[in-house]
Amino acid sequence: MIRKFRRYLRLQRGLSENTLEAYMHDVGKLMAWCEAEEKDIVQLSLDDLQTFSSSLFDLGIAPSTHARILCGVRSLYQFLELDGYIEQDPTELLESPIQNKHLPEVLSTAEVDKLEEAIDLSKWEGHRNRAIIEVLFSCGLRVSELVALTLSQIYEEEGFVRVMGKGSKERLVPIGKKAIRELHLWYDDRCHMKIKKGEEDYVFLNRRGAHLTRTMILIMIKQYALDAGIQKTISPHTLRHSFATALLEGGASLRAIQAMLGHEKIGTTEIYTHIDMSTLRTEILEHHPRNIK
């Protein structure tokens, strides 16, 4: 049954390997609970699942993690109903914990410039790292999308990047002249590298001629933030968040931002609607009819 569920997630839901493993790990928690309680997973009622959910709370699991685990459990029972193991999905009325919306750190354009200025361009990886930061900020890519980015996905003349997002969903993201310029400076260095067989199409490579990992990019960005004197706790996601915030403050619609980020639901994009209170105050003072002479 679990093997069939894994196949369902991969083939019908089109989940990436990382997301699939996260779902299986979360469902594993329910299976362990069933074993301890001597219960059959296909016979659990809503009350049983609420008891399981309460046990997660008692363990002190964070609300966001708690909600993610229940998301995996819901997917399991949707599959069980679909495949005929159960007649009715008991998770339909299962409530998730209330979560406080956590707003990630955001960098201003000036701070992104400081981050790029902290890069030593005399080093072989200098132009590569500058291009990485510029592409993350200019296109709002996930770090997983960046490390998988290939030369054939970049359409310079048209000004677009073809991105393969979560669930193998494809989207087109505009790429600006500055990002393209930084890429060309990196290409000048890249063409002198010895590239491993099978890695030739990846845009960003390490010293050994293989594509980068997410961890390498995380470490690199944190080091440059330290060098630039930026006190905020940042990661590659910070640049994605900064991209969305800059678009919103520039007047882009939430639907357009949703499309650029590859969010399936508009609710996911709404986290980016926060605006600095000082900016909001200035906007009100400048544009409210009572303040216009």
Side-chain angles (χ1 to χ4, degrees):
M1 182 183 73
I2 296 300
R3 281 198 299 271
K4 285 185 179 180
F5 175 55
R6 176 186 282 272
R7 197 178 304 123
Y8 159 79
L9 292 177
R10 179 182 287 113
L11 301 180
Q12 290 185 246
R13 293 282 300 276
L15 299 186
S16 68
E17 199 61 34
N18 287 338
T19 306
L20 190 151
E21 290 304 325
Y23 270 56
M24 298 307 298
H25 181 264
D26 294 337
V27 167
K29 293 186 185 301
L30 177 63
M31 294 170 65
W33 181 83
C34 286
E35 188 175 345
E37 297 292 324
E38 298 182 347
K39 291 181 180 289
D40 188 338
I41 203 165
V42 298
Q43 294 178 355
L44 295 187
S45 64
L46 175 60
D47 287 342
D48 291 325
L49 291 166
Q50 286 172 334
T51 303
F52 166 69
S53 181
S54 297
S55 74
L56 298 176
F57 178 81
D58 293 340
L59 289 171
I61 291 175
S64 57
T65 306
H66 189 161
R68 193 203 68 215
I69 292 170
L70 295 186
C71 181
V73 169
R74 287 190 189 92
S75 293
L76 171 65
Y77 280 94
Q78 286 165 10
F79 159 74
L80 293 178
E81 183 181 27
L82 190 68
D83 225 44
Y85 286 97
I86 57 176
E87 292 184 4
Q88 188 172 359
D89 180 0
T91 66
E92 287 179 351
L93 299 177
L94 183 63
E95 294 184 352
S96 290
I98 297 172
Q99 300 181 63
N100 295 323
K101 284 193 175 180
H102 171 66
L103 296 176
E105 292 279 16
V106 61
L107 296 177
S108 65
T109 303
E111 286 175 318
V112 175
D113 289 342
K114 282 179 67 178
L115 202 61
E116 292 182 356
E117 287 163 8
I119 298 171
D120 184 353
L121 296 180
S122 67
K123 294 184 177 179
W124 82 269
E125 73 273 18
H127 286 298
R128 181 201 67 183
N129 292 351
R130 200 161 183 166
I132 285 171
I133 290 172
E134 189 58 38
V135 170
L136 285 171
F137 179 60
S138 296
C139 302
L141 303 188
R142 299 178 178 94
V143 67
S144 56
E145 294 167 348
L146 182 99
V147 297
L149 189 65
T150 61
L151 298 169
S152 54
Q153 288 175 252
I154 300 174
Y155 300 87
E156 291 185 15
E157 289 187 13
E158 294 82 359
F160 282 95
V161 176
R162 182 167 52 85
V163 182
M164 295 300 294
K166 286 185 175 180
S168 299
K169 291 181 180 176
E170 189 176 278
R171 70 184 191 277
L172 291 174
V173 180
I175 183 168
K177 291 180 180 178
K178 188 176 189 310
I180 290 173
R181 187 165 60 249
E182 295 294 347
L183 282 171
H184 275 277
L185 290 170
W186 156 236
Y187 293 160
D188 289 342
D189 297 332
R190 185 185 182 279
C191 68
H192 297 297
M193 295 180 63
K194 185 178 180 180
I195 301 173
K196 283 189 175 181
K197 190 176 180 180
E199 306 279 303
E200 296 89 352
D201 200 26
Y202 285 104
V203 174
F204 298 109
L205 304 169
N206 60 25
R207 288 176 180 271
R208 296 180 298 279
H211 67 279
L212 298 175
T213 65
R214 293 180 295 177
T215 304
M216 290 171 70
I217 293 176
L218 172 65
I219 292 169
M220 178 263 286
I221 288 176
K222 284 186 173 293
Q223 183 58 53
Y224 287 138
L226 193 65
D227 295 343
I230 296 172
Q231 301 298 315
K232 298 172 181 176
T233 303
I234 71 168
S235 68
H237 177 74
T238 308
L239 292 164
R240 177 171 160 86
H241 181 61
S242 304
F243 160 84
T245 304
L247 283 181
L248 189 71
E249 292 180 347
S253 71
L254 209 56
R255 289 291 180 188
I257 297 170
Q258 178 189 7
M260 293 303 96
L261 294 173
H263 286 161
E264 188 174 346
K265 298 178 181 177
I266 191 70
T268 311
T269 315
E270 286 174 351
I271 194 173
Y272 296 102
T273 58
H274 76 286
I275 299 176
D276 184 83
M277 289 306 293
S278 60
T279 305
L280 182 60
R281 180 177 181 277
T282 303
E283 290 292 312
I284 292 171
L285 289 176
E286 287 183 1
H287 301 293
H288 194 281
R290 292 297 192 201
N291 300 318
I292 298 173
K293 294 181 181 179

